[in-house]
């Protein structure tokens, strides 16, 4: 077998796109908005919905990944790099779940549902930064970005330097 199962491939790209969207929107649209800005509630609602959709898709992804046969691991020819590649893959799954869990914990602690349901920004805390889940969310966002960059660098190394056609393993075409 030369590639992952179709649902694994489809879910890889859909979740990759939505994760990058959540990271970019979180950093550049959500976080810069002050908590007394009326636009904050809509941004928070959209962000939380995206996070919950990702929870469903990531759970589906883990189920299909574990219940389908994966191609044998792609080797780089270096034992240490092969271990690193495994660590990066596991870390990508784990960090995304920590983002979702800390987001939900923050929403519960800060009473986000009541604020969004009533449409009243005054019900939001002055800032989320005093909440522990918020610190975890911000720190893990940075870690996730670094891990995604390492993952992309790894894919480029396989594709361009090793020329082992790694992209075919995650491609629906060809
Ligand atoms: C341009 C961006 C990306 C490219 C080119 C890319 C490419 C790939 C390729 C080729 C594989 C297959 C590796 C193999 O079979 O050994 C893979 C696996 C994987 N990718 Fe990506 N990816 C990208 C973005 C992402 C993002 C944003 C995430 C999530 C945060 C992600 C998470 C994963 C995970 C967890 C695996 C391991 C799959 C498994 O074996 O369970 N990828 N990626
Ligand atoms: C994979 C899923 C998620 C990603 C990638 C993500 C990403 C982000 C990022 C990048 C930030 C800005 C952090 C910073 O720059 O310090 C942020 C903030 C936030 N996120 Fe998420 N998030 C996710 C899921 C969730 C979920 C499920 C919820 C709630 C149910 C949530 C609630 C929040 C809140 C309340 C903030 C704080 C906004 C502020 O401080 O003004 N997130 N998120």
């Amino acid at each position: 077998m030369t590639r992952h199962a179709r649902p694994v491939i489809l879910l890889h790209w859909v979740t990759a796109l939505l994760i990058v969207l959540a990271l970019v929107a979180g950093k550049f649209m959500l976080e810069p908005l002050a908590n007394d800005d009326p636009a904050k509630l809509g941004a928070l609602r959209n962000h939380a919905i995206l996070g919950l959709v990702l929870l469903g898709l990531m759970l589906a992804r883990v189920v299909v990944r574990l219940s389908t046969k994966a191609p044998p691991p792609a080797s780089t020819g270096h034992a240490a790099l092969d271990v690193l590649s495994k660590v990066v893959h596991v870390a990508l799954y784990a960090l995304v779940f920590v983002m979702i869990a800390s987001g939900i914990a923050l929403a519960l602690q800060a009473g986000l549902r009541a604020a969004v349901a009533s449409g009243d920004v005054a019900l939001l805390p002055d800032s989320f930064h005093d909440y522990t889940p918020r610190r975890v969310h911000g720190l893990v966002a940075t870690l996730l970005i670094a891990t995604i960059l390492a993952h992309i660098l790894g894919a480029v190394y396989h594709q361009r330097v090793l020329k082992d056609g790694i992209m075919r393993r995650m491609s629906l075409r060809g």
Side-chain angles (χ1 to χ4, degrees):
M1 194 205 301
T2 55
R3 70 182 77 199
H4 291 272
R6 286 181 79 82
V8 171
I9 299 174
L10 205 65
L11 283 167
H12 171 270
W13 292 112
V14 172
T15 51
L17 188 79
L18 294 182
I19 289 162
V20 172
L21 195 75
L23 283 169
V24 171
K27 281 241 173 264
F28 298 110
M29 289 158 78
L30 184 58
E31 138 104 318
L33 278 175
N35 277 17
D36 58 1
D37 188 323
K40 185 88 183 198
L41 285 178
L44 280 168
R45 195 197 50 223
N46 293 342
H47 184 77
I49 291 172
L50 181 54
L52 294 178
V53 167
L54 268 167
L55 173 61
L57 291 173
M58 286 299 292
L59 288 175
R61 188 173 164 184
V62 170
V63 170
V64 291
R65 174 65 174 81
L66 294 178
S67 59
T68 54
K69 213 164 133 48
S75 178
T76 55
H78 302 276
L81 278 185
D82 290 349
V83 172
L84 184 68
S85 144
K86 189 89 210 145
V87 169
V88 165
H89 286 168
V90 173
L92 285 168
Y93 285 111
L95 294 174
V96 172
F97 280 114
V98 175
M99 284 308 292
I100 296 168
S102 56
I104 293 173
L106 175 61
L108 292 173
Q109 274 188 24
L112 214 68
R113 225 162 74 108
V116 170
S118 66
D120 185 0
V121 270
L123 291 182
L124 288 178
D126 291 343
S127 157
F128 293 114
H129 286 87
D130 298 334
Y131 294 83
T132 302
R134 176 64 183 85
R135 290 198 206 106
V136 172
H137 208 64
L139 187 74
V140 174
T142 307
L143 269 175
L144 179 57
I145 292 167
T147 312
I148 290 172
L149 291 179
H151 177 61
I152 294 174
L153 210 67
V156 171
Y157 178 71
H158 273 278
Q159 192 70 16
R160 291 295 163 97
V161 180
L162 302 176
K163 299 188 195 299
D164 58 5
I166 193 121
M167 291 309 292
R168 277 204 54 195
R169 291 161 65 98
M170 263 309 166
S171 169
L172 289 169
R173 285 183 299 137

